[in-house]
Amino acid sequence: MAANPIQIVPLRADAIAPVGAPQLTYRGGPLLTSVEVFLFFWGDVWQQDPQAALVQQLNGFFDFVLTSSLMDQLSEYSVQGMPLGHGMRIGTTVIAGVPPANVADADIQQFIQQELGSDPAVPQPTPNSLYYVYLPPGVTVGLDGQSSCVNFCGYHSNTGNIFYAVMPYPDCSGCMGGLTVLDALSSTSSHELCEAVTDPIPGQGWYDDQNGEIGDICAWQTKQLNGYTVQLEWSNKQGQCA
Ligand SMILES: [Zn+2]
């Protein structure tokens, strides 16, 4: 598999019920032990409200959540030589321009590579780097024949040793889940964060062959942390979403 999308809010709750008793097993690949998050906001509209306010709110969300109990929860997935700990947001940038109305995963990869090659303000990848790409309203991303808002609400993937997450704007009911835009984005962003930390190359870290990654098992189940909406994550130890 190349990427791991979060499905849209299901019409029936049992549509995402786990198969059997979920159990993540480690497949030997890399983990992000102290994740360094960099945020790209692609498009001019992120410089204007309400999106500009959202940029600041998401900065605040990451600054909080990367040192929160959400990260502490992941420590049960530490392996020999790779203890999972807190992370930090290492930067944010708004990239001017107007992205095409339909972008493919290959376009996202090219966008990141181009920014890495041309913008000295964008930190070069380390083994702990995780680049988020937030798309503006009205832009659809396509992945493996599926598209955002129709089939999924975000995904994480890798191109070589560059790890990234793609967050389309949740301007559809299937990706709002009855939440505000900020709460929908913080929920899906936390889902992708925990998955990228525990399974940065999808299927090569912690994975369940029936149910997918740590966030997939608990998709659209949320809790509040310091006023932020985050998604529950599967705990092998507790045998439940936590
Ligand atoms: Zn997922």
Side-chain angles (χ1 to χ4, degrees), residues 4-6 156 191-192 195 213 215-216:
N4 180 266
I6 174 173
H156 78 95
H191 174 127
E192 300 306 335
E195 293 188 339
E213 297 181 317
D216 300 327

Side-chain angles (χ1 to χ4, degrees), residues 35-39 62 66 88-91 128 130 132 193:
V35 62
E36 298 161 359
V37 170
F38 188 87
L39 307 181
F62 277 101
L66 288 165
M88 67 182 300
R89 181 179 63 90
I90 58 170
N128 276 312
L130 176 61
Y132 273 82
L193 173 67

Side-chain angles (χ1 to χ4, degrees), residues 85-233:
H86 287 179
M88 67 182 300
R89 181 179 63 90
I90 58 170
T92 293
T93 187
V94 176
I95 302 298
V98 180
N102 293 284
V103 296
D105 184 46
D107 300 320
I108 299 285
Q109 294 184 6
Q110 192 177 33
F111 169 83
I112 296 170
Q113 300 274 16
Q114 191 171 326
E115 290 304 316
L116 284 169
S118 63
D119 187 348
V122 177
Q124 295 299 305
T126 75
N128 276 312
S129 298
L130 176 61
Y131 299 94
Y132 273 82
V133 179
Y134 287 85
L135 298 172
V139 172
T140 297
V141 60
L143 175 74
D144 300 334
Q146 300 198 319
S147 53
S148 57
C149 273
V150 177
N151 310 102
F152 65 86
C153 303
Y155 63 93
H156 78 95
S157 188
N158 71 295
T159 172
N161 291 323
I162 298 175
F163 309 121
Y164 64 96
V166 182
M167 309 306 305
Y169 201 85
D171 44 5
C172 55
S173 60
C175 293
M176 286 287 283
L179 304 170
T180 65
V181 172
L182 174 63
D183 290 347
L185 277 176
S186 65
S187 174
T188 51
S189 297
S190 67
H191 174 127
E192 300 306 335
L193 173 67
C194 294
E195 293 188 339
V197 165
T198 56
D199 194 31
I201 301 176
Q204 294 187 22
W206 288 92
Y207 198 75
D208 175 321
D209 287 321
Q210 270 74 49
N211 298 295
E213 297 181 317
I214 187 170
D216 300 327
I217 301 166
C218 312
W220 296 104
Q221 301 177 47
T222 62
K223 65 181 176 184
Q224 295 293 309
L225 273 188
N226 202 37
Y228 292 109
T229 299
V230 299
Q231 207 205 271
L232 303 189
E233 307 296 333

